[in-house]
Amino acid sequence: MGERGVAEVRLGPATARAGTPAVRVIAVASGKGGVGKTSVTANLAVMLARQGRRVCVLDADLGLANLDVVYGLSPRESLLHVLRGDRRLADVIVEGPAGVRVIPSASGIAELTALGAREQQTLLDAVEELDGTLDVLLVDTAAGISSNVLYFAAAAAEVLVVITPEPTALTDAYALVKVLSTRHAVRDFSVVVNMARGAADATAAFRRLARAAERFLRVRLEYQGYVPYDDAVGKAVRVQTPLVIGAPGSPASLALDGLADRLTRRAATSPTGGMQFFFRRLLEEGRG
């Protein structure tokens, strides 16, 4: 998308191509912390589930996992137990609001990328069992550009970048896009602006990021709308209830509903073989 596409700030396409794979894997990432990435992920998952999609969220913030806090869950086991062979993947999944399934975070990517061939195949076989039971896998990555973030984002078929209008958020988001594009050949990104004061504030922020990224990095950024600043968000986090459940009529909830709808109708930007394909790529990224 060139300069003309940036100026128009059009929302993503409304129709999906035929033959889209059964499981869409979308990594939700941000250049810095504090932009509300996990809140967006958690509420987006609930809205997709309410649309009738079978949704699973992988908590891939390996250092500061807090998806379970947002959902009010207390998982006792995680992906780490699967990697060690102590549990099957289906055994560690916990059910959250609206039937959203959650794969709790493991403590470190090193164990995943250091698995031997037999252990890797065991993991892939376990993942394959879930392929036919899901429509969407959301991957809540950590903030920033650490190797953990890059592994998960590069392995996913789609990347949704969460930004705010703050200059530091835009600078760090540009760094994230730069690293993913130059080191991992990711060329297409979706962007949602969180905590915006209004449509003009959000589109101005997106334009600033998109102009720089598309000019210097030769990537395509697609605007997926914005979520307004809303006091109800903080209240929802404090009571550990997703905003779209606790305050469904709030401005942010309505915006998240629209985001879920656009992502549902949006065509996947690159092919994916489902969850097993995602984990295969994840293992390959770790060896790279």
Side-chain angles (χ1 to χ4, degrees), residues 41-75:
T41 305
N43 284 283
L44 178 59
V46 172
M47 295 310 301
L48 291 171
R50 285 181 166 179
Q51 292 178 0
R53 269 79 185 172
R54 299 168 298 174
V55 183
C56 184
V57 184
L58 169 61
D59 191 344
D61 189 341
L62 304 175
L64 297 171
N66 54 16
L67 185 68
D68 54 336
V69 176
V70 175
Y71 278 153
L73 303 173
S74 300

Side-chain angles (χ1 to χ4, degrees), residues 35-36 39-44 47 50 192-198 224-237 241-262:
V35 302
S39 178
V40 168
T41 305
N43 284 283
L44 178 59
M47 295 310 301
R50 285 181 166 179
V192 60
V193 184
N194 196 25
M195 305 183 199
R197 292 188 297 271
Q224 296 297 329
Y226 76 98
V227 179
Y229 179 86
D230 191 337
D231 288 335
V233 175
K235 295 177 182 178
V237 173
T241 300
L243 175 72
V244 295
I245 292 177
S250 66
S253 285
L254 298 176
L256 288 161
D257 188 12
L259 173 62
D261 186 57
R262 282 190 294 277

Side-chain angles (χ1 to χ4, degrees), residues 82-263:
V82 180
L83 302 182
R84 290 175 173 172
D86 297 332
R87 293 288 186 273
R88 296 171 54 248
L89 185 59
D91 295 332
V92 305
I93 292 177
V94 292
E95 185 170 322
V100 172
R101 286 179 276 181
V102 179
I103 302 176
S105 175
S107 61
I109 193 66
E111 297 208 29
L112 177 60
T113 58
L115 294 178
R118 182 175 180 179
E119 290 78 12
Q120 288 186 10
Q121 190 59 52
T122 298
L123 174 61
L124 293 174
D125 290 342
V127 168
E128 189 175 26
E129 295 177 3
L130 297 178
D131 251 338
T133 68
L134 295 176
D135 299 311
V136 181
L137 173 67
L138 294 177
V139 182
D140 184 30
T141 74
I145 55 174
S146 68
S147 58
N148 292 340
V149 175
L150 301 179
Y151 290 145
F152 285 104
E158 304 173 59
V159 180
L160 175 65
V161 180
V162 180
I163 65 172
T164 69
E166 296 298 322
T168 54
L170 298 179
T171 300
D172 291 344
Y174 178 86
L176 173 66
V177 171
K178 180 178 180 180
V179 174
L180 283 172
S181 62
T182 57
R183 296 185 189 176
H184 300 276
V186 179
R187 290 286 175 260
D188 294 281
F189 299 83
S190 291
V191 178
V192 60
V193 184
N194 196 25
M195 305 183 199
R197 292 188 297 271
D201 188 35
T203 54
F206 172 75
R207 284 190 178 114
R208 289 196 295 273
L209 175 63
R211 286 193 178 112
E214 292 176 357
R215 178 180 179 184
F216 297 109
L217 304 178
R218 304 298 181 184
V219 296
R220 180 176 184 268
L221 271 61
E222 189 176 280
Y223 184 54
Q224 296 297 329
Y226 76 98
V227 179
Y229 179 86
D230 191 337
D231 288 335
V233 175
K235 295 177 182 178
V237 173
R238 286 192 292 274
V239 299
Q240 295 182 274
T241 300
L243 175 72
V244 295
I245 292 177
S250 66
S253 285
L254 298 176
L256 288 161
D257 188 12
L259 173 62
D261 186 57
R262 282 190 294 277
L263 289 179

